[in-house]
Amino acid sequence: MSRPEFQAPPEIYYGDTEAKKYTNNSRIQQIQADMTYRALELLSLPSDQPALLLDIGCGSGLSGEILDEEGYNWVGVDIAPSMLEVALEREVEGDLFLQDIGQGFGFRPGSFDGAISISVIQWLLNAETSHPTSSPPHRLTRFFTTLHAALRNPSRAIFQFYPTSDDQVQLITSIAQKAGFGGGVVVDYPNSNKARKVFLCLFVGGGGGQQVPKGLEVDAEEDDARVKFEKARERQRKRDKSGKRKSIKDKDWILKKKELYRRRGKEGVPNDSKFTGRKRKATF
Amino acid sequence: MVRLITHNLLACHAKGCTSNNFPLQLKDVQVELRDAEYNADFLRGFISRIEWPALVDAARQLGDTSLPNEPPEMMDDDFLQKLHHVLLEIHIEEGAMICPNCAHVYPISNGIPNMLLAEHEIG
Ligand SMILES: C[S@@+](CC[C@H](N)C(=O)[O-])C[C@H]1O[C@@H](n2cnc3c(N)ncnc32)[C@H](O)[C@@H]1O
Ligand SMILES: [Zn+2]
């Protein structure tokens, strides 16, 4: 089937039915969680410092739930009311806004310590919305300019996205640069069909001292890239456990939250394999 | 789910609306109180980002008069607890935010503000 962004505007594609289907799909939950962890790794916020993050295209909160579990305060914006509805049902902690990111943000300068965006910005290239709109380059310019202003100096914004061509990557990167961002593209597992992931890593300030991180590679002796992606998570988790990044919220709070999401997620989906990924996080 | 922390960061983003566009005026709002995890470090780190008079006004409008006119020199626990409550535990569920400059109305329903702009408002 063709990509979602070719089928309908986002707020139509992610209607009531698809919003639920998307959110309850265990494979999607796992993938979005993995990519959110990786985005946080690339964000490389100073350890043991609380932060306020922006989740761009937060959807039903699959990425936001990870931010909750990791103890961040966050604000989420999304254009699809049905997705936000599901996020409300799941009782995520972030403040939610119905917003078309192609229309830009109104946040005051320096509002956020960082931003993540998981599986969203390809929509800015490929689909119109049912709201008033303008051309993709215009929308991208407005988006990146107002985002740049809303971020603190120095800080980062990390976007996992699904480009269809190198030209698209070029277009996005050049508009981001014109908006004032430094940075570039990181490709994890470039040679694996399944695990290949593209991350745009944008920097605000830092006097050019910020280096574009390296993509993850598959070890030669082990070509199951999926396993490797898991290992990346494993590493990240261990690091958290070793106390390098102090958990900001208290343990009971996080456990309560996890239990809640677990319960919510299970409604209507009897299959419990969906939380195999989550369980590992119980080692906080 | 708009809390005053977010209200305090939000200006109008309609086309050409670049001055006197903050803070958005609260209108006919209904609030709900919900506990949030208290974190003194977060508050201490965040305070420099706050537009103080706007926060005090918004809180008072919602019936919370606990904050002083000026942020105190000494951020003791008593003050931080109050700040915590105002920033993170008061949720605006219904109502609207109105731009003091261009008068654009951002309706809030079910806790979610609608930030979508009309065609002529897109920058
Ligand atoms: C694949 S979902 C990802 C949601 C969430 N980040 C996650 O990881 O589960 C893509 C989201 O992007 C949102 N989106 C697409 N175009 C958008 C736009 N112009 N403004 C805001 N959100 C948009 C969609 O509504 C949808 O919720
Ligand atoms: Zn305005």
Side-chain angles (χ1 to χ4, degrees):
Chain A
M1 219 192 0
S2 79
R3 289 159 155 254
E5 64 271 21
F6 295 149
Q7 296 179 39
E11 69 282 9
I12 308 285
Y13 180 84
Y14 292 105
D16 284 345
T17 313
E18 181 59 30
K20 292 207 169 64
K21 224 170 84 190
Y22 174 90
T23 313
N24 290 328
N25 181 312
S26 58
R27 226 189 93 248
I28 292 179
Q29 292 177 347
Q30 177 76 60
I31 296 171
Q32 301 310 110
D34 284 343
M35 297 189 300
T36 306
Y37 279 115
R38 176 66 173 140
L40 283 174
E41 189 172 73
L42 294 168
L43 206 54
S44 74
L45 291 159
S47 43
D48 46 276
Q49 226 165 281
L52 180 67
L53 302 181
L54 180 62
D55 186 355
I56 299 164
C58 60
S60 53
L62 292 184
S63 39
E65 287 175 13
I66 306 297
L67 301 181
D68 284 342
E69 288 178 7
E70 293 291 310
Y72 294 107
N73 283 303
W74 58 280
V75 171
V77 301
D78 201 280
I79 199 174
S82 305
M83 290 292 261
L84 293 172
E85 194 78 26
V86 176
L88 282 184
E89 279 167 21
R90 291 172 75 84
E91 297 186 23
V92 294
E93 297 274 315
D95 282 5
L96 305 173
F97 288 84
L98 178 64
Q99 188 153 8
D100 175 4
I101 57 172
Q103 295 185 345
F105 298 108
F107 295 111
R108 288 199 286 109
S111 289
F112 297 99
D113 299 290
I116 64 158
S117 176
I118 310 297
S119 317
V120 177
I121 55 168
Q122 69 276 1
W123 283 94
L124 286 178
L125 292 163
N126 293 312
E128 297 288 280
T129 74
S130 43
H131 308 290
T133 185
S134 47
S135 72
H138 185 95
R139 285 163 59 75
L140 283 164
T141 301
R142 181 84 184 145
F143 168 63
F144 282 123
T145 313
T146 54
L147 174 64
H148 187 271
L151 291 168
R152 286 170 70 85
N153 183 348
S155 68
R156 292 184 177 191
I158 308 293
F159 306 78
Q160 178 277 326
F161 72 118
Y162 295 108
T164 47
S165 68
D166 288 346
D167 283 355
Q168 287 194 338
V169 176
Q170 270 301 317
L171 177 72
I172 290 187
T173 319
S174 71
I175 293 178
Q177 274 166 4
K178 274 188 213 128
F181 284 104
V185 168
V186 172
V187 183
D188 281 355
Y189 312 115
N191 301 318
S192 159
N193 272 337
K194 258 169 94 186
R196 185 176 192 273
K197 291 284 178 292
V198 180
F199 292 86
L200 177 65
C201 301
L202 296 182
F203 306 150
V204 177
Q210 299 207 55
Q211 291 272 325
V212 180
K214 286 221 162 50
L216 302 177
E217 299 276 351
V218 182
D219 282 356
E221 79 275 12
E222 238 183 310
D223 57 4
D224 185 350
R226 167 90 201 156
V227 170
K228 300 310 292 179
F229 207 82
E230 289 305 299
K231 286 219 170 129
R233 268 187 80 184
E234 201 77 16
R235 272 201 304 278
Q236 161 112 6
R237 198 172 49 73
K238 282 214 190 93
R239 203 189 60 193
D240 294 348
K241 207 176 145 192
S242 73
K244 205 176 146 207
R245 195 187 116 70
K246 188 175 87 191
S247 185
I248 296 151
K249 295 195 175 172
D250 114 336
K251 200 171 162 189
D252 288 350
W253 180 271
I254 293 167
L255 290 176
K256 205 172 85 195
K257 215 62 217 181
K258 274 195 213 175
E259 179 51 36
L260 176 73
Y261 293 146
R262 197 164 288 154
R263 233 169 38 231
R264 300 275 165 193
K266 275 199 174 129
E267 281 164 17
V269 186
N271 180 356
D272 69 355
S273 69
K274 64 200 304 255
F275 279 106
T276 39
R278 300 236 149 160
K279 273 187 195 123
R280 270 173 284 136
K281 278 182 260 134
T283 52
F284 250 86
Chain B
M1 300 233 309
V2 215
R3 291 171 294 180
L4 291 188
I5 184 174
T6 332
H7 172 262
N8 198 263
L9 297 175
L10 201 61
C12 179
H13 68 304
K15 182 179 189 171
C17 193
T18 50
S19 59
N20 186 35
N21 60 348
F22 174 88
L24 301 176
Q25 305 298 313
L26 301 173
K27 181 145 181 283
D28 300 334
V29 297
Q30 291 169 28
V31 300
E32 246 175 51
L33 303 182
R34 251 172 271 153
D35 288 349
E37 174 80 357
Y38 173 70
N39 183 329
D41 287 342
F42 175 76
L43 297 166
R44 275 194 212 95
F46 194 78
I47 199 157
S48 64
R49 252 175 271 183
I50 297 173
E51 283 286 337
W52 193 258
L55 182 66
V56 174
D57 276 0
R60 289 188 185 160
Q61 208 186 324
L62 303 182
D64 188 301
T65 55
S66 65
L67 297 182
N69 286 331
E70 304 281 336
E73 304 265 295
M74 280 293 294
M75 287 189 261
D76 59 10
D77 209 53
D78 181 52
F79 165 73
L80 289 175
Q81 292 277 0
K82 286 173 180 155
L83 182 62
H84 166 74
H85 179 70
V86 167
L87 282 178
L88 297 165
E89 297 191 322
I90 307 176
H91 295 248
I92 304 173
E93 293 292 323
E94 302 290 330
M97 298 183 291
I98 300 172
C99 173
N101 184 44
C102 75
H104 181 99
V105 178
Y106 298 97
I108 303 171
S109 123
N110 234 332
I112 300 180
N114 180 337
M115 306 305 289
L116 296 168
L117 300 173
E119 180 128 45
H120 67 277
E121 295 172 317
I122 299 176

